[in-house]
Amino acid sequence: MDKRPASLKRITTKKAADRFIDQQVKAIKERVGDKKVLLALSGGVDSSVCAALLIKAIGKQLVCVHVNHGLLRKGEPEQVIEVFRNNLGADLRYVDASKLFLKELKGVDDPETKRKIIGKVFIDVFAKEAKKLKGVKFLAQGTIYPDILESKGVKAHHNVGGLPKEFDFELVEPVKYLYKDEVRIVGEALGLPKKMVYRQPFPGPGLGVRCVGAITKDRLEALREADAIVREEIDKLKDKPWQYFCVIPDLKSTGIKDGKRYMGWAAIIRAINTKDAVTAKSYEIPYKTLYKIRDRIIKEVPGINRVLWDFSDKPVSTIEWE
Ligand code: XMP
């Protein structure tokens, strides 16, 4: 196993983070020279910190590709563009592939098949972008130390290590010996917004596994809006849970408006606390927040006429519905 060097002390302060950044910047510059580095930038903590570090070292020699698979949360692609292209001046290629993903996922209701399709289409889209570039010698990845320790970890779903053989890139993994808390401190020291650095975990297949069953565009859009409301309201709490989001099951729900019945969907609120995602406890959402979320979802999200709270623990209920 690739072991964390004993000389690397735990990073707990900005000063230590600055020292780490200086060392990495020097090492990256020496290794990369005048070649180009490619990175799939999802906007998650790890790939964002990896990108910011590389931008500091080699600026526009880093080419970031942000694939919008249409399964991202509300405001995420915009935030990636704002932070990386506008604020950090990155060479960011934005690819809106949401239509293609929806097409490939049409009618597919098996969770693992959905994950596989999302992973495969992601690689295809990324590879197509990579082919357009000249002079790329390296592929950067936001691998972190827990990914190495649990090499069968969930990351396998969305890392881009599975690129076709023709791409013969050398890997650059500047944060691979860091734990998550250290990655966040380094991210802050690099000037990334707190909102990005301290964001909750989000699965690679994104809203795809929260739009339960076969995904449809209108249910996915409703989910994105409802999820944004759940996050906005829970973000106002002092003591935030580890993961909190919304799910829309593939079920019809009857609503009534102006004396007329109509079919819509139910939105499910989920908020959990955990140390390692292996077990999890449902988080006690204050009633005031629950009612506020209910009222806002019903009022603001077309198609949703019922709001439920999933307060199950893991085991036996997994954190995600699929
Ligand atoms: P479960 O649902 O198994 O989730 O209790 C445990 C943790 O893993 C996340 N998760 C995923 N992350 N790709 C990911 O990158 C996936 O396919 C995936 N499925 C679940 C989930 O959000 C939770 O934090």
mmCIF file of all heavy atoms in Angstrom, residues 115 154-155 157-158 201-205 209-210 242-243 245 277-278 314 317-322, ligand 1:
data_model
loop_
_atom_site.group_PDB
_atom_site.id
_atom_site.type_symbol
_atom_site.label_atom_id
_atom_site.label_comp_id
_atom_site.label_asym_id
_atom_site.label_seq_id
_atom_site.Cartn_x
_atom_site.Cartn_y
_atom_site.Cartn_z
ATOM 1 N N ARG A 115 -26.084 3.529 -11.663
ATOM 2 C CA ARG A 115 -24.713 3.947 -11.281
ATOM 3 C C ARG A 115 -23.721 3.634 -12.401
ATOM 4 O O ARG A 115 -22.858 4.446 -12.728
ATOM 5 C CB ARG A 115 -24.286 3.231 -10.013
ATOM 6 C CG ARG A 115 -24.811 3.852 -8.742
ATOM 7 C CD ARG A 115 -24.189 3.170 -7.535
ATOM 8 N NE ARG A 115 -24.489 3.854 -6.295
ATOM 9 C CZ ARG A 115 -25.614 3.731 -5.608
ATOM 10 N NH1 ARG A 115 -26.570 2.936 -6.039
ATOM 11 N NH2 ARG A 115 -25.808 4.400 -4.478
ATOM 12 N N VAL A 154 -16.177 4.080 -1.898
ATOM 13 C CA VAL A 154 -17.208 4.603 -2.803
ATOM 14 C C VAL A 154 -16.622 5.447 -3.938
ATOM 15 O O VAL A 154 -17.231 5.585 -4.982
ATOM 16 C CB VAL A 154 -18.260 5.454 -2.047
ATOM 17 C CG1 VAL A 154 -19.169 4.574 -1.237
ATOM 18 C CG2 VAL A 154 -17.596 6.501 -1.170
ATOM 19 N N LYS A 155 -15.436 6.024 -3.718
ATOM 20 C CA LYS A 155 -14.804 6.865 -4.731
ATOM 21 C C LYS A 155 -14.683 6.166 -6.087
ATOM 22 O O LYS A 155 -14.703 6.803 -7.126
ATOM 23 C CB LYS A 155 -13.398 7.239 -4.274
ATOM 24 C CG LYS A 155 -13.248 8.616 -3.688
ATOM 25 C CD LYS A 155 -13.258 9.685 -4.736
ATOM 26 C CE LYS A 155 -13.278 11.067 -4.153
ATOM 27 N NZ LYS A 155 -12.136 11.316 -3.288
ATOM 28 N N HIS A 157 -16.581 4.820 -7.742
ATOM 29 C CA HIS A 157 -17.693 5.111 -8.646
ATOM 30 C C HIS A 157 -17.422 6.285 -9.566
ATOM 31 O O HIS A 157 -17.920 6.355 -10.649
ATOM 32 C CB HIS A 157 -18.956 5.455 -7.841
ATOM 33 C CG HIS A 157 -19.532 4.303 -7.144
ATOM 34 N ND1 HIS A 157 -20.201 3.310 -7.796
ATOM 35 C CD2 HIS A 157 -19.545 3.967 -5.838
ATOM 36 C CE1 HIS A 157 -20.610 2.418 -6.926
ATOM 37 N NE2 HIS A 157 -20.220 2.791 -5.734
ATOM 38 N N HIS A 158 -16.689 7.281 -9.060
ATOM 39 C CA HIS A 158 -16.599 8.471 -9.893
ATOM 40 C C HIS A 158 -15.192 8.938 -10.185
ATOM 41 O O HIS A 158 -14.992 9.973 -10.780
ATOM 42 C CB HIS A 158 -17.469 9.605 -9.330
ATOM 43 C CG HIS A 158 -17.109 10.047 -7.954
ATOM 44 N ND1 HIS A 158 -16.813 11.325 -7.655
ATOM 45 C CD2 HIS A 158 -17.014 9.353 -6.821
ATOM 46 C CE1 HIS A 158 -16.527 11.409 -6.375
ATOM 47 N NE2 HIS A 158 -16.653 10.237 -5.841
ATOM 48 N N PRO A 201 -20.877 15.512 2.193
ATOM 49 C CA PRO A 201 -20.567 14.532 1.140
ATOM 50 C C PRO A 201 -21.728 14.413 0.153
ATOM 51 O O PRO A 201 -22.892 14.525 0.542
ATOM 52 C CB PRO A 201 -20.402 13.215 1.903
ATOM 53 C CG PRO A 201 -20.451 13.534 3.342
ATOM 54 C CD PRO A 201 -20.975 14.910 3.522
ATOM 55 N N PHE A 202 -21.364 14.228 -1.102
ATOM 56 C CA PHE A 202 -22.392 14.094 -2.146
ATOM 57 C C PHE A 202 -21.971 12.953 -3.054
ATOM 58 O O PHE A 202 -20.849 12.935 -3.548
ATOM 59 C CB PHE A 202 -22.469 15.413 -2.925
ATOM 60 C CG PHE A 202 -23.568 15.460 -3.948
ATOM 61 C CD1 PHE A 202 -24.892 15.275 -3.576
ATOM 62 C CD2 PHE A 202 -23.277 15.692 -5.287
ATOM 63 C CE1 PHE A 202 -25.906 15.325 -4.530
ATOM 64 C CE2 PHE A 202 -24.284 15.756 -6.240
ATOM 65 C CZ PHE A 202 -25.602 15.570 -5.853
ATOM 66 N N PRO A 203 -22.823 11.960 -3.259
ATOM 67 C CA PRO A 203 -22.400 10.802 -4.053
ATOM 68 C C PRO A 203 -22.075 11.167 -5.496
ATOM 69 O O PRO A 203 -22.694 12.071 -6.066
ATOM 70 C CB PRO A 203 -23.610 9.860 -3.985
ATOM 71 C CG PRO A 203 -24.756 10.707 -3.562
ATOM 72 C CD PRO A 203 -24.209 11.855 -2.788
ATOM 73 N N GLY A 204 -21.105 10.451 -6.080
ATOM 74 C CA GLY A 204 -20.745 10.676 -7.483
ATOM 75 C C GLY A 204 -21.955 10.658 -8.416
ATOM 76 O O GLY A 204 -22.098 11.537 -9.269
ATOM 77 N N PRO A 205 -22.850 9.666 -8.294
ATOM 78 C CA PRO A 205 -24.020 9.628 -9.187
ATOM 79 C C PRO A 205 -25.064 10.691 -8.843
ATOM 80 O O PRO A 205 -26.116 10.774 -9.472
ATOM 81 C CB PRO A 205 -24.603 8.224 -8.983
ATOM 82 C CG PRO A 205 -23.617 7.482 -8.160
ATOM 83 C CD PRO A 205 -22.779 8.466 -7.441
ATOM 84 N N VAL A 209 -29.321 8.968 -7.746
ATOM 85 C CA VAL A 209 -29.741 7.911 -6.822
ATOM 86 C C VAL A 209 -30.786 8.419 -5.813
ATOM 87 O O VAL A 209 -31.221 7.685 -4.947
ATOM 88 C CB VAL A 209 -28.548 7.257 -6.079
ATOM 89 C CG1 VAL A 209 -27.727 6.418 -7.041
ATOM 90 C CG2 VAL A 209 -27.672 8.282 -5.376
ATOM 91 N N ARG A 210 -31.144 9.683 -5.969
ATOM 92 C CA ARG A 210 -32.183 10.245 -5.082
ATOM 93 C C ARG A 210 -33.490 10.483 -5.833
ATOM 94 O O ARG A 210 -34.519 10.776 -5.226
ATOM 95 C CB ARG A 210 -31.679 11.534 -4.443
ATOM 96 C CG ARG A 210 -30.483 11.250 -3.551
ATOM 97 C CD ARG A 210 -29.874 12.470 -2.935
ATOM 98 N NE ARG A 210 -28.706 12.087 -2.141
ATOM 99 C CZ ARG A 210 -27.833 12.943 -1.636
ATOM 100 N NH1 ARG A 210 -28.015 14.235 -1.813
ATOM 101 N NH2 ARG A 210 -26.806 12.510 -0.928
ATOM 102 N N TRP A 242 -24.497 15.653 9.437
ATOM 103 C CA TRP A 242 -23.404 15.252 8.556
ATOM 104 C C TRP A 242 -23.841 15.271 7.099
ATOM 105 O O TRP A 242 -23.137 15.700 6.208
ATOM 106 C CB TRP A 242 -22.976 13.847 8.962
ATOM 107 C CG TRP A 242 -21.663 13.391 8.449
ATOM 108 C CD1 TRP A 242 -20.437 13.728 8.941
ATOM 109 C CD2 TRP A 242 -21.433 12.474 7.366
ATOM 110 N NE1 TRP A 242 -19.461 13.073 8.227
ATOM 111 C CE2 TRP A 242 -20.037 12.299 7.262
ATOM 112 C CE3 TRP A 242 -22.264 11.776 6.483
ATOM 113 C CZ2 TRP A 242 -19.461 11.459 6.320
ATOM 114 C CZ3 TRP A 242 -21.684 10.946 5.538
ATOM 115 C CH2 TRP A 242 -20.303 10.793 5.450
ATOM 116 N N GLN A 243 -25.057 14.744 6.861
ATOM 117 C CA GLN A 243 -25.579 14.697 5.487
ATOM 118 C C GLN A 243 -27.083 14.974 5.533
ATOM 119 O O GLN A 243 -27.781 14.433 6.388
ATOM 120 C CB GLN A 243 -25.313 13.320 4.888
ATOM 121 C CG GLN A 243 -25.002 13.353 3.414
ATOM 122 C CD GLN A 243 -24.569 12.016 2.840
ATOM 123 O OE1 GLN A 243 -24.487 11.008 3.557
ATOM 124 N NE2 GLN A 243 -24.288 11.976 1.564
ATOM 125 N N PHE A 245 -30.538 15.922 2.847
ATOM 126 C CA PHE A 245 -30.922 16.047 1.445
ATOM 127 C C PHE A 245 -32.376 15.646 1.249
ATOM 128 O O PHE A 245 -33.098 15.365 2.213
ATOM 129 C CB PHE A 245 -30.009 15.172 0.575
ATOM 130 C CG PHE A 245 -29.914 13.725 1.027
ATOM 131 C CD1 PHE A 245 -30.807 12.771 0.574
ATOM 132 C CD2 PHE A 245 -28.914 13.313 1.909
ATOM 133 C CE1 PHE A 245 -30.706 11.437 0.970
ATOM 134 C CE2 PHE A 245 -28.804 11.984 2.314
ATOM 135 C CZ PHE A 245 -29.707 11.048 1.843
ATOM 136 N N ALA A 277 -20.079 6.754 7.907
ATOM 137 C CA ALA A 277 -21.118 6.332 6.950
ATOM 138 C C ALA A 277 -21.416 4.825 7.001
ATOM 139 O O ALA A 277 -22.269 4.341 6.258
ATOM 140 C CB ALA A 277 -20.788 6.766 5.525
ATOM 141 N N VAL A 278 -20.735 4.103 7.895
ATOM 142 C CA VAL A 278 -21.011 2.662 7.999
ATOM 143 C C VAL A 278 -22.280 2.446 8.833
ATOM 144 O O VAL A 278 -23.130 1.608 8.511
ATOM 145 C CB VAL A 278 -19.801 1.915 8.623
ATOM 146 C CG1 VAL A 278 -20.112 0.446 8.838
ATOM 147 C CG2 VAL A 278 -18.576 2.087 7.738
ATOM 148 N N LYS A 314 -29.293 3.762 10.241
ATOM 149 C CA LYS A 314 -28.536 2.734 9.493
ATOM 150 C C LYS A 314 -27.712 1.937 10.502
ATOM 151 O O LYS A 314 -26.936 2.570 11.221
ATOM 152 C CB LYS A 314 -27.634 3.414 8.476
ATOM 153 C CG LYS A 314 -26.742 2.424 7.717
ATOM 154 C CD LYS A 314 -25.821 3.152 6.742
ATOM 155 C CE LYS A 314 -24.936 2.154 6.023
ATOM 156 N NZ LYS A 314 -24.064 2.756 5.033
ATOM 157 N N SER A 317 -31.651 0.919 7.568
ATOM 158 C CA SER A 317 -31.837 1.705 6.330
ATOM 159 C C SER A 317 -30.520 2.325 5.895
ATOM 160 O O SER A 317 -29.846 2.978 6.701
ATOM 161 C CB SER A 317 -32.819 2.841 6.579
ATOM 162 O OG SER A 317 -33.915 2.376 7.301
ATOM 163 N N THR A 318 -30.132 2.166 4.657
ATOM 164 C CA THR A 318 -28.928 2.834 4.167
ATOM 165 C C THR A 318 -29.200 4.348 4.139
ATOM 166 O O THR A 318 -30.358 4.772 4.220
ATOM 167 C CB THR A 318 -28.570 2.352 2.744
ATOM 168 O OG1 THR A 318 -29.726 2.460 1.926
ATOM 169 C CG2 THR A 318 -28.079 0.921 2.765
ATOM 170 N N ILE A 319 -28.118 5.108 4.029
ATOM 171 C CA ILE A 319 -28.276 6.569 4.022
ATOM 172 C C ILE A 319 -29.043 6.986 2.764
ATOM 173 O O ILE A 319 -30.038 7.713 2.839
ATOM 174 C CB ILE A 319 -26.899 7.270 4.107
ATOM 175 C CG1 ILE A 319 -26.227 6.906 5.450
ATOM 176 C CG2 ILE A 319 -27.048 8.766 3.940
ATOM 177 C CD1 ILE A 319 -24.780 7.352 5.581
ATOM 178 N N GLU A 320 -28.589 6.516 1.617
ATOM 179 C CA GLU A 320 -29.295 6.794 0.362
ATOM 180 C C GLU A 320 -30.449 5.803 0.203
ATOM 181 O O GLU A 320 -30.404 4.707 0.754
ATOM 182 C CB GLU A 320 -28.337 6.638 -0.833
ATOM 183 C CG GLU A 320 -27.082 7.497 -0.758
ATOM 184 C CD GLU A 320 -27.347 8.980 -0.933
ATOM 185 O OE1 GLU A 320 -28.443 9.356 -1.389
ATOM 186 O OE2 GLU A 320 -26.451 9.772 -0.603
ATOM 187 N N TRP A 321 -31.408 6.196 -0.612
ATOM 188 C CA TRP A 321 -32.544 5.286 -0.851
ATOM 189 C C TRP A 321 -32.210 4.205 -1.855
ATOM 190 O O TRP A 321 -32.861 3.177 -1.910
ATOM 191 C CB TRP A 321 -33.764 6.105 -1.310
ATOM 192 C CG TRP A 321 -34.633 6.464 -0.135
ATOM 193 C CD1 TRP A 321 -34.239 7.116 0.987
ATOM 194 C CD2 TRP A 321 -36.012 6.147 0.019
ATOM 195 N NE1 TRP A 321 -35.292 7.237 1.844
ATOM 196 C CE2 TRP A 321 -36.393 6.666 1.273
ATOM 197 C CE3 TRP A 321 -36.964 5.515 -0.765
ATOM 198 C CZ2 TRP A 321 -37.691 6.543 1.765
ATOM 199 C CZ3 TRP A 321 -38.262 5.400 -0.288
ATOM 200 C CH2 TRP A 321 -38.611 5.899 0.971
ATOM 201 N N GLU A 322 -31.239 4.470 -2.698
ATOM 202 C CA GLU A 322 -30.864 3.460 -3.712
ATOM 203 C C GLU A 322 -29.418 3.078 -3.524
ATOM 204 O O GLU A 322 -28.585 3.924 -3.239
ATOM 205 C CB GLU A 322 -31.016 4.010 -5.127
ATOM 206 C CG GLU A 322 -32.427 4.302 -5.523
ATOM 207 C CD GLU A 322 -32.580 4.419 -7.045
ATOM 208 O OE1 GLU A 322 -31.706 4.986 -7.691
ATOM 209 O OE2 GLU A 322 -33.589 3.925 -7.549
HETATM 210 P P1 XMP B 1 -25.276 4.263 1.995
HETATM 211 O O1 XMP B 1 -26.483 4.653 1.214
HETATM 212 O O2 XMP B 1 -24.606 3.031 1.477
HETATM 213 O O3 XMP B 1 -24.229 5.442 1.803
HETATM 214 O O4 XMP B 1 -25.558 4.157 3.475
HETATM 215 C C1 XMP B 1 -23.024 5.603 2.514
HETATM 216 C C2 XMP B 1 -22.343 6.883 2.032
HETATM 217 O O5 XMP B 1 -21.881 6.701 0.705
HETATM 218 C C3 XMP B 1 -22.469 7.661 -0.164
HETATM 219 N N1 XMP B 1 -22.769 6.964 -1.428
HETATM 220 C C4 XMP B 1 -22.074 7.101 -2.557
HETATM 221 N N2 XMP B 1 -21.004 7.862 -2.853
HETATM 222 N N3 XMP B 1 -21.022 7.009 -5.048
HETATM 223 C C5 XMP B 1 -20.487 7.823 -4.097
HETATM 224 O O6 XMP B 1 -19.526 8.534 -4.392
HETATM 225 C C6 XMP B 1 -22.101 6.203 -4.836
HETATM 226 O O7 XMP B 1 -22.566 5.500 -5.717
HETATM 227 C C7 XMP B 1 -22.643 6.250 -3.517
HETATM 228 N N4 XMP B 1 -23.671 5.620 -2.918
HETATM 229 C C8 XMP B 1 -23.738 6.059 -1.663
HETATM 230 C C9 XMP B 1 -23.710 8.160 0.551
HETATM 231 O O8 XMP B 1 -24.089 9.467 0.142
HETATM 232 C C10 XMP B 1 -23.265 8.105 2.000
HETATM 233 O O9 XMP B 1 -22.523 9.242 2.372
#
